[in-house]
Amino acid sequence: MLLSQLLHSEQILFNLVVDNKTMLFTKIAEFAAEKTNISAKEIFSALQEREEHGSTGLGYGVAIPHGRLKDLKRPFVVAIKCAQALDFQSIDNIAVRIILVLLVPKKATEQHLALLGEIAQIFSSQTRRQQLEDAQSSSEFLQLLQE
């Protein structure tokens, strides 16, 4: 399943106001819980647990927090542009504004890796990262992620 098949307009959080990574994960968990019927606590824990193994900040102002959830039926994606950059302890120490959250079923290892690879490919382009940074609306942001 491709990212473009998973990401829809109602899964964009544009100009999200959060002060830190914990607040970000809380907002993501609350948002995703409404859409997936998985508890916000379980989603938050999955994201936090993965982050404890190392930052999901890729560098260049981009992060891909992700987690695996036992009761999730299919992958769920949330795309976020933060109103202000967050410290993600990225390898390049550049604060993050562009975030793509990936939640996958616990047993979907191949799909998880394929989606992470696709997302990393999108963010490997400096031009695309700049376009996402410059996006003026959630629809423009979504279109850039789906190209």
Side-chain angles (χ1 to χ4, degrees):
M1 188 170 282
L2 298 172
L3 178 64
S4 62
Q5 296 170 304
L6 296 171
L7 187 59
H8 306 286
S9 60
E10 65 273 6
Q11 291 157 247
I12 304 291
L13 301 177
F14 195 77
N15 285 336
L16 182 67
V17 177
V18 290
D19 294 330
N20 56 51
K21 206 184 316 184
T22 300
M23 186 184 280
L24 172 71
F25 287 175
T26 299
K27 293 271 189 189
I28 293 167
E30 291 168 352
F31 178 79
E34 290 179 18
K35 308 284 186 192
T36 64
N37 293 320
I38 304 290
S39 77
K41 182 179 178 181
E42 188 176 348
I43 294 167
F44 180 89
S45 293
L47 293 171
Q48 189 65 35
E49 181 179 307
R50 169 53 190 88
E51 201 68 22
E52 288 171 1
H53 292 291
S55 175
T56 55
L58 297 181
Y60 304 105
V62 172
I64 310 174
H66 52 280
R68 300 172 77 152
L69 299 160
K70 181 181 68 154
D71 295 325
L72 190 65
K73 303 293 184 230
R74 55 176 263 155
F76 183 77
V77 178
V78 181
I80 302 167
K81 181 177 178 185
C82 291
Q84 58 194 50
L86 300 176
D87 180 13
F88 240 84
Q89 296 85 39
S90 301
I91 195 162
D92 63 0
N93 291 318
I94 295 175
V96 167
R97 282 191 71 205
I98 308 299
I99 301 164
L100 204 61
V101 181
L102 177 60
L103 302 173
V104 296
K106 193 96 163 164
K107 295 182 179 183
T109 302
E110 286 182 29
Q111 194 172 33
H112 185 194
L113 295 175
L115 284 165
L116 283 174
E118 182 184 354
I119 294 165
Q121 183 68 32
I122 290 168
F123 291 142
S124 69
S125 164
Q126 179 184 2
T127 301
R128 180 73 58 89
R129 289 190 311 268
Q130 190 59 56
Q131 289 171 328
L132 288 164
E133 183 73 31
D134 295 342
Q136 296 298 306
S137 68
S138 59
S139 58
E140 181 183 0
F141 193 68
L142 175 62
Q143 182 180 357
L144 288 163
L145 287 169
Q146 291 183 328
E147 287 180 354

